[in-house]
Amino acid sequence: QVQLVESGGGLVQAGDSLRLSCAASVPSGRTFSNYGMGWFRQAPEKEREFVAGISWRNGITVYADSSVKGRFTISRDNAKSTVDLQMHSLKPEDTAVYYCAAEYFRTPETMGAGGMAAWGKGTLVTVSS
């Protein structure tokens, strides 16, 4: 199974930017570029929710809703087996543990339903007001 490690979380102030990164270790016989990749988050006392996804084939991106669209950008580097989440204009309500997730051939349009095959352990983002 693919192994995922997130990094880049921390404590920032409202309005700041932060870039999260997820490094993937892909099992033998599989190719990172064939993994649909997603970012999810879980705020305190809330369920985990989809944030953004990027397709395995052509880099198509999908974002959860207007709360993040326009402020967050997901991208991937297949040569480095990484997927990033660039976050701008952070708000206190963005405070959460952010998780990277992967699934072979998963399309981003379906990631909102959750159930990804592999998850990282998460990185905490705290936005102070």
Side-chain angles (χ1 to χ4, degrees):
Q1 186 62 282
V2 61
Q3 302 296 314
L4 305 170
V5 178
E6 303 94 338
S7 62
L11 172 63
V12 297
Q13 293 186 331
D16 284 352
S17 298
L18 200 61
R19 189 178 186 91
L20 305 183
S21 187
C22 172
S25 296
V26 178
S28 177
R30 292 205 162 180
T31 304
F32 177 74
S33 60
N34 288 340
Y35 282 88
M37 301 297 297
W39 282 96
F40 294 73
R41 67 185 180 185
Q42 186 168 17
E45 301 182 357
K46 291 188 177 181
E47 293 189 354
R48 187 159 55 188
E49 63 177 2
F50 170 73
V51 175
I54 187 165
S55 70
W56 60 272
R57 177 180 294 175
N58 49 18
I60 290 176
T61 57
V62 173
Y63 296 89
D65 54 33
S66 60
S67 68
V68 302
K69 198 170 185 178
R71 297 191 299 124
F72 291 9
T73 301
I74 187 171
S75 61
R76 67 187 297 159
D77 187 333
N78 289 332
K80 295 181 179 180
S81 298
T82 59
V83 59
D84 290 352
L85 184 69
Q86 178 68 55
M87 305 184 290
H88 294 296
S89 303
L90 283 163
K91 305 174 182 179
E93 50 263 45
D94 294 319
T95 294
V97 177
Y98 283 73
Y99 297 90
C100 176
E103 187 165 328
Y104 219 51
F105 297 133
R106 183 78 176 262
T107 58
E109 296 87 351
T110 68
M111 292 180 187
M116 299 289 283
W119 297 85
K121 294 184 178 180
T123 185
L124 176 63
V125 173
T126 304
V127 184
S128 64
S129 58

